[in-house]
Short mmCIF file of all heavy atoms in Angstrom, two decimals:
data_model
loop_
_atom_site.label_atom_id
_atom_site.label_comp_id
_atom_site.label_asym_id
_atom_site.label_seq_id
_atom_site.Cartn_x
_atom_site.Cartn_y
_atom_site.Cartn_z
N GLU A 220 374.60 266.32 196.55
CA GLU A 220 375.12 264.99 196.85
C GLU A 220 374.08 263.91 196.59
O GLU A 220 374.41 262.75 196.44
CB GLU A 220 375.65 264.93 198.30
CG GLU A 220 374.63 264.93 199.41
CD GLU A 220 373.93 266.30 199.59
OE1 GLU A 220 374.41 267.33 199.08
OE2 GLU A 220 372.88 266.32 200.25
N TRP A 221 372.79 264.29 196.45
CA TRP A 221 371.73 263.32 196.23
C TRP A 221 371.52 262.98 194.75
O TRP A 221 370.79 262.05 194.41
CB TRP A 221 370.41 263.86 196.79
CG TRP A 221 370.14 265.29 196.38
CD1 TRP A 221 370.42 266.41 197.09
CD2 TRP A 221 369.62 265.73 195.13
NE1 TRP A 221 370.10 267.53 196.37
CE2 TRP A 221 369.60 267.14 195.16
CE3 TRP A 221 369.16 265.08 193.97
CZ2 TRP A 221 369.14 267.92 194.09
CZ3 TRP A 221 368.70 265.84 192.92
CH2 TRP A 221 368.70 267.25 192.98
N ALA A 222 372.17 263.75 193.87
CA ALA A 222 371.84 263.64 192.44
C ALA A 222 372.31 262.32 191.85
O ALA A 222 373.33 261.75 192.25
CB ALA A 222 372.46 264.80 191.68
N THR A 223 371.55 261.83 190.89
CA THR A 223 371.90 260.57 190.21
C THR A 223 372.75 260.89 189.00
O THR A 223 372.27 260.92 187.87
CB THR A 223 370.63 259.82 189.78
OG1 THR A 223 369.78 260.75 189.10
CG2 THR A 223 369.87 259.25 190.95
N VAL A 224 374.04 261.14 189.30
CA VAL A 224 374.95 261.53 188.23
C VAL A 224 375.79 260.35 187.75
O VAL A 224 376.66 260.50 186.89
CB VAL A 224 375.90 262.66 188.71
CG1 VAL A 224 375.13 263.92 188.97
CG2 VAL A 224 376.66 262.22 189.96
N GLY A 225 375.55 259.19 188.31
CA GLY A 225 376.46 258.05 188.11
C GLY A 225 377.23 257.88 189.41
O GLY A 225 377.69 258.87 189.99
N ARG A 226 377.37 256.67 189.87
CA ARG A 226 377.84 256.45 191.23
C ARG A 226 379.30 256.86 191.45
O ARG A 226 379.65 257.39 192.50
CB ARG A 226 377.65 254.98 191.59
CG ARG A 226 378.03 254.67 193.01
CD ARG A 226 377.41 253.38 193.45
NE ARG A 226 378.00 252.94 194.70
CZ ARG A 226 377.63 251.85 195.35
NH1 ARG A 226 376.68 251.09 194.83
NH2 ARG A 226 378.18 251.53 196.48
N GLY A 227 380.16 256.61 190.48
CA GLY A 227 381.57 256.94 190.63
C GLY A 227 382.15 256.24 191.84
O GLY A 227 381.91 255.04 192.05
N ARG A 228 382.83 257.01 192.70
CA ARG A 228 383.43 256.37 193.88
C ARG A 228 382.55 256.50 195.12
O ARG A 228 382.98 256.23 196.22
CB ARG A 228 384.78 257.05 194.17
CG ARG A 228 385.74 256.95 193.00
CD ARG A 228 387.03 256.21 193.40
NE ARG A 228 387.88 256.02 192.24
CZ ARG A 228 388.71 256.94 191.80
NH1 ARG A 228 388.83 258.09 192.42
NH2 ARG A 228 389.46 256.70 190.74
N ARG A 229 381.33 257.00 194.92
CA ARG A 229 380.44 257.21 196.06
C ARG A 229 380.18 255.90 196.78
O ARG A 229 380.00 254.86 196.12
CB ARG A 229 379.13 257.82 195.57
CG ARG A 229 378.45 258.69 196.60
CD ARG A 229 377.07 259.19 196.18
NE ARG A 229 376.99 259.73 194.84
CZ ARG A 229 376.31 259.13 193.86
NH1 ARG A 229 375.70 257.98 194.06
NH2 ARG A 229 376.25 259.69 192.68
N ALA A 230 380.14 255.92 198.13
CA ALA A 230 379.96 254.69 198.89
C ALA A 230 378.57 254.10 198.70
O ALA A 230 378.39 252.89 198.65
CB ALA A 230 380.22 254.95 200.38
N VAL A 231 377.55 254.99 198.63
CA VAL A 231 376.19 254.48 198.45
C VAL A 231 375.64 254.96 197.12
O VAL A 231 376.04 255.98 196.61
CB VAL A 231 375.25 254.99 199.57
CG1 VAL A 231 375.56 254.31 200.88
CG2 VAL A 231 375.33 256.50 199.70
N LYS A 232 374.72 254.17 196.64
CA LYS A 232 374.10 254.61 195.39
C LYS A 232 373.02 255.64 195.69
O LYS A 232 372.46 255.68 196.79
CB LYS A 232 373.51 253.43 194.65
CG LYS A 232 372.29 252.83 195.31
CD LYS A 232 371.64 251.78 194.43
CE LYS A 232 370.43 251.19 195.11
NZ LYS A 232 369.75 250.20 194.31
N ASN A 233 372.74 256.48 194.73
CA ASN A 233 371.65 257.46 194.86
C ASN A 233 370.43 256.98 194.09
O ASN A 233 370.56 256.41 193.01
CB ASN A 233 372.08 258.82 194.31
CG ASN A 233 372.97 259.57 195.27
OD1 ASN A 233 373.05 259.21 196.45
ND2 ASN A 233 373.64 260.60 194.78
N VAL A 234 369.27 257.22 194.68
CA VAL A 234 368.02 256.88 193.98
C VAL A 234 367.10 258.08 194.06
O VAL A 234 366.93 258.68 195.12
CB VAL A 234 367.34 255.65 194.63
CG1 VAL A 234 365.98 255.41 194.00
CG2 VAL A 234 368.21 254.41 194.50
N VAL A 235 366.57 258.47 192.94
CA VAL A 235 365.56 259.53 192.92
C VAL A 235 364.21 258.87 192.74
O VAL A 235 364.01 258.11 191.79
CB VAL A 235 365.84 260.52 191.76
CG1 VAL A 235 364.64 261.45 191.56
CG2 VAL A 235 367.09 261.33 192.05
N ASN A 236 363.30 259.15 193.64
CA ASN A 236 362.14 258.30 193.75
C ASN A 236 361.04 258.99 194.55
O ASN A 236 361.32 259.80 195.41
CB ASN A 236 362.64 257.04 194.50
CG ASN A 236 361.52 256.13 194.91
OD1 ASN A 236 360.59 255.97 194.15
ND2 ASN A 236 361.63 255.57 196.09
N SER A 237 359.79 258.63 194.25
CA SER A 237 358.71 259.15 195.10
C SER A 237 357.83 258.00 195.60
O SER A 237 356.70 258.22 195.99
CB SER A 237 357.88 260.18 194.34
OG SER A 237 357.19 259.57 193.28
N LEU A 238 358.34 256.80 195.52
CA LEU A 238 357.56 255.61 195.90
C LEU A 238 357.97 255.16 197.30
O LEU A 238 359.14 254.85 197.54
CB LEU A 238 357.84 254.49 194.90
CG LEU A 238 357.23 253.13 195.17
CD1 LEU A 238 355.72 253.15 194.95
CD2 LEU A 238 357.87 252.06 194.29
N TYR A 239 357.01 255.14 198.22
CA TYR A 239 357.28 254.70 199.61
C TYR A 239 356.11 253.84 200.04
O TYR A 239 355.09 254.35 200.53
CB TYR A 239 357.40 255.92 200.55
CG TYR A 239 358.55 256.84 200.19
CD1 TYR A 239 358.36 257.92 199.34
CD2 TYR A 239 359.83 256.62 200.72
CE1 TYR A 239 359.40 258.77 199.01
CE2 TYR A 239 360.88 257.47 200.39
CZ TYR A 239 360.66 258.54 199.54
OH TYR A 239 361.69 259.36 199.21
N LEU A 240 356.21 252.54 199.85
CA LEU A 240 355.06 251.66 200.07
C LEU A 240 354.64 251.60 201.54
O LEU A 240 353.46 251.51 201.85
CB LEU A 240 355.37 250.26 199.56
CG LEU A 240 355.25 250.11 198.03
CD1 LEU A 240 355.51 248.67 197.62
CD2 LEU A 240 353.88 250.55 197.53
N ASP A 241 355.60 251.67 202.43
CA ASP A 241 355.28 251.59 203.85
C ASP A 241 354.66 252.91 204.30
O ASP A 241 355.29 253.96 204.22
CB ASP A 241 356.58 251.31 204.62
CG ASP A 241 356.32 251.19 206.13
OD1 ASP A 241 355.28 251.72 206.59
OD2 ASP A 241 357.17 250.58 206.81
#
Side-chain angles (χ1 to χ4, degrees):
Chain A
E220 73 288 344
W221 47 264
T223 49
V224 293
R226 184 161 168 178
R228 301 240 175 84
R229 209 186 313 113
V231 288
K232 70 172 180 179
N233 282 345
V234 174
V235 169
N236 170 39
S237 66
L238 175 71
Y239 298 92
L240 282 182
D241 181 338

